[in-house]
Amino acid sequence: MHRFSTFVLALLLGAGLCAAPTSAVSAGSAGSPAKHQVTFDKYSLMLDGRRQVVWSGEFHPFRLPSPALWRDVLQKMKATGYTAVSIYFDWNYHSPAPGVYDFTGVRDMDRVLDLAAEAGLYVIARPGPYINAEVTGGGFPAWLSTQAGRARSDAPDYLAAADEWLTRIDRIIARHQYTDGRGSVILYQIENELAATGTSQQNYVAHLYDKVRSDGIAVPVFHNDKGRNGIWVPADSGVPGTVPGKVDLYAFDGYPGGTCRTDATPGSPSVAPDWGTYGPGGAKGGASASPNTPGFVAEFGGGWFDYWGSNGTYPCTAVRQGPGYERVFYGTNLANGLTLQNFYMTFGGTSWGRLPAPVVYSSYDYGAAIDEGRQLRPKALTMKELGYFLATVPDVAKMDRGDPVTPSSAAVKVYHNVNPDTGVQLYVPMHSPSNVTTDDSFTFPLSTPDGAYTVPVRLNGQDAKQLVANFDVAGQHLVYSTSELMAGTAGTLLLHGRPGEDGRTVLRYASRPRVDVLAGAVTTTWTGNDLRLDYRHEGLARVRISGGGRPAVTLLLADDPTADTFWLASGLLVRGPDLVRTADARSLTGDTKGARDLEVWGARGPVVRWNGAVVPMRPTASGSLAALRPLPGPTGPRLPELTGWRSAPGSPESAPGYDDSAWPTADRTTTNSTTPPPAGEPVLTADDYGFGVGDVWYRGRFTGSPGKQVSLRYGGGGAGMLQAWLDGQYLGENVLPSALASPPTTGTATFPVPEGLRGDGPHVLSVMVRNDGHNEDGGVNDAHKEGRGLISSSLTAATWKIRGGTADPVRGPLNSGGLAGERAGWSLPGFPDRSWTPAVVPAATAAPGTTWYRTTFSLKVPAGQDTSVGLTLGDPARPRSGGHYRVLIFLNGWNVGQYIADVGPQHTFALPTGILDPHGRNTLALAVTSDGGEGNGLEQVSLTDLGSARGGVPVRPVYSPGWRP
């Protein structure tokens, strides 16, 4: 099914948010009146008149080739406080050739949009045509590189191709829009980081807008401005220096955050910027470029990508942009009125197969809140605290600057905002500048209709707090609290703070209520009509308050680690499990990573079901139900050793007598590549012959002496490589430099010719070029048209043949390249390898060229358990080994990544469940391409547990057809 009723969506997505004034702009419907409205004013987005703080995370389904696991990630996002998911749709993932598109299997975008709505997440749709995203070609399919017209312009051939893509992807997105009640898509992005603003681009943006509207897109349309340049703002912006475009909203991106040093430890954090109401204003001030639309940061740093040859900074990035960063930077954004925030990435996943752009390797972990193995990092739980706070205090969606607040210490500052409709106040204290790492205790004055108060606060290092005052929640009136509010359900309030720090909460009553301290050390003071509670954030204190003219309430006063064990789901407050996925009054689903308590507020006793099993419960004095015994955790899986290897040589093209008669002749004389050959020489670039993805082989025949050396100019992308043989004798290998954030993507390989091969011939030169991706076109300069494969040769009289790969009809155009083994099905399950030679891994030595290794292994992960498995090559303690070799890793026919021993840094590769059979037999094939010789053979290969939990989601096997004769 690809339809969701209005009623279902209301259950999944509806929230009782505060009333909104008349909207300034409404998204029009295509054809008939909309069943729902997406509107906005200068403060926030509004859905059917309800204001929303859009708290979104970036997720790319194309980086997780197991559709069942899309549900896992989306449920984890919803559980950790996100209200929306931002999704790039990658053109090159769906189109192997002009006019050919595939939206089935792992490319079923209807399914991911259905799953997002099922999880209760709104969707920000970002289909390009250009997405960047560190994917090959920036999302452009390889075949687009042969076009004459400039990409990202009004060139007719480019517009025709872009329209072809948009017609197909818009057909899917349009039927999932919130506006007609069939889905949860609320925003649509045209283009991405388009920095050129000439007439051609103005026409282009207008064309895209008109195109998507004609395709039935009715939700607001925006462009994401790279780095806050005031480019592509709505026409009525009125801010000098901005560039207007045909868009409804202005959005921008930014990635502040400091550096990771070479030893992979967190560097000094940078200062949180003011990109909204507290900022400098003007065209380059962020949200100030469009004062009539809400503050919208379409990408804010949730980590950063890593590049070939680095020291492996993802763990460092996860810490650097971890809990302290999130509280300070994202809190600063909230204070600045950025009510639409999307965090890039929330789950990075894997740039599997030939998906990576030259700037990244296979892992796209990004240091994100959910790691590549789908495990929640500590920073995910801080995002949960912030997301739950916003769900509990919807007043944040409309805030004006309040009166300036002067704290008692010059080392800190306090943002102060007020909702003009409700009078709810938001205070955000942090160090000034925000990267100060000292421990400071201070006070600041607070004035509300309840009176004037002096509020004590402590800040230790990189930290900020979201504090509210004059707020009605759960039938109570909160005067103020120095603890952060995380949840307010019927009869329960959850507040939290840093471990060991003091907290104070003040509530107002008509008369003195009864206070029962059920757990923890809490002192109470009654003054006037204020009940003051003082405590320390240590574990979980419980206080029951009744009477005083208000409904009874249980205050749960937690330190952060304890607060992070709480989950909000369908009106229930749940404590104990490592994840709560779904909930109703009697049934819960979720994950446990060990034996865990279970306590539920709002459930109907005396039992609940956990993952389908009955759990006896008992009532508590806190108004909850508690399980009589802990929930069970996972059983450690026994991952087998990888043995029984067989191998076969895989570079037959290097032999002089190899039959290449069926290969195409490389004899074109013109090209649209930005790297044409010298005048008079044939075009050799692989894209011109339809081989734009993966490795490509060349065989050049010539007579006459090759001279003392042979030079070959080639394009290989990031850490690309070339190997050459003359008359079957190995000349050597050339690898493009790495350890650079912007690596060179072309180079010249020069090899000395052995004296015995310098005669008049005839000769044959065999060349293999590894293509590690097409350049992105961020500069709007057709960088994606840079040639891949050979560009030119010193052998000007040679006649060349060329052979690359073909698109895998199941795994898609980015799975396979032109290695002989790939073409022959050696990567596939079921291939008859019994005639191959038994092999020992690790291997002490290797022959030059490619050698294939195959084995099978069986897994017995317990039923009802989610174990994320990885494959580890070499020694993870070393970013690089000395071995001059690289490996393409195929699991059940799926290319899950590339290991480069002497470049690094990646050693462990995620094997997604679904591609991996956790309850059966799996085939592993490794294409090992070596420079040859001792020390350049395949290192140790083993399976690794990336994280286990009892629970998970049902996973169906991804279709993996095997070898056929």
Side-chain angles (χ1 to χ4, degrees), residues 689-741:
Y689 300 93
F691 302 127
V693 177
D695 298 343
V696 61
W697 273 91
Y698 296 83
R699 285 172 57 84
R701 289 185 169 84
F702 62 96
T703 57
S705 173
K708 294 183 178 180
Q709 63 182 26
V710 171
S711 292
L712 303 164
R713 187 180 178 213
Y714 71 104
M721 177 267 288
L722 177 150
Q723 291 186 327
W725 291 257
L726 181 60
D727 298 337
Q729 186 168 336
Y730 183 62
L731 297 183
E733 173 181 282
N734 183 272
V735 178
L736 293 175
S738 55
L740 299 167

Side-chain angles (χ1 to χ4, degrees), residues 270-295:
S270 58
V271 175
D274 290 313
W275 286 340
T277 55
Y278 287 87
K284 296 182 181 296
S288 58
S290 182
N292 302 320
T293 60

Side-chain angles (χ1 to χ4, degrees), residues 352-354 814-815 822 888-891 893-898:
W352 62 281
R354 304 295 186 165
L814 302 176
N815 192 74
E822 291 178 289
L888 297 180
I889 303 165
F890 294 89
L891 175 70
W894 296 80
N895 181 343
V896 297
Q898 179 180 192

Side-chain angles (χ1 to χ4, degrees), residues 24-25 61 224 412 595 675 802 805:
V25 182
N224 173 38
V412 299
T675 51
I802 182 173

Side-chain angles (χ1 to χ4, degrees), residues 931-945:
D931 197 27
E934 186 176 352
N936 295 328
L938 179 62
E939 298 168 89
Q940 180 65 43
V941 182
S942 59
L943 298 175
T944 305
D945 183 356

Side-chain angles (χ1 to χ4, degrees), residues 2-3 30 89 109-110 113 123 125 127 166-188 211-219:
H2 294 312
R3 303 292 182 267
F89 298 88
M109 297 298 99
D110 267 311
L113 291 173
V123 174
L166 290 173
T167 295
R168 286 158 174 83
I169 192 62
D170 286 348
R171 187 179 300 151
I172 295 170
I173 296 172
R175 58 179 175 250
H176 292 273
Q177 294 180 93
Y178 177 80
T179 46
D180 63 9
R182 293 190 293 168
S184 60
V185 174
I186 57 172
L187 294 168
Y188 182 106
K211 167 62 179 169
V212 303
R213 287 291 185 228
S214 70
D215 285 344
I217 300 302
V219 298

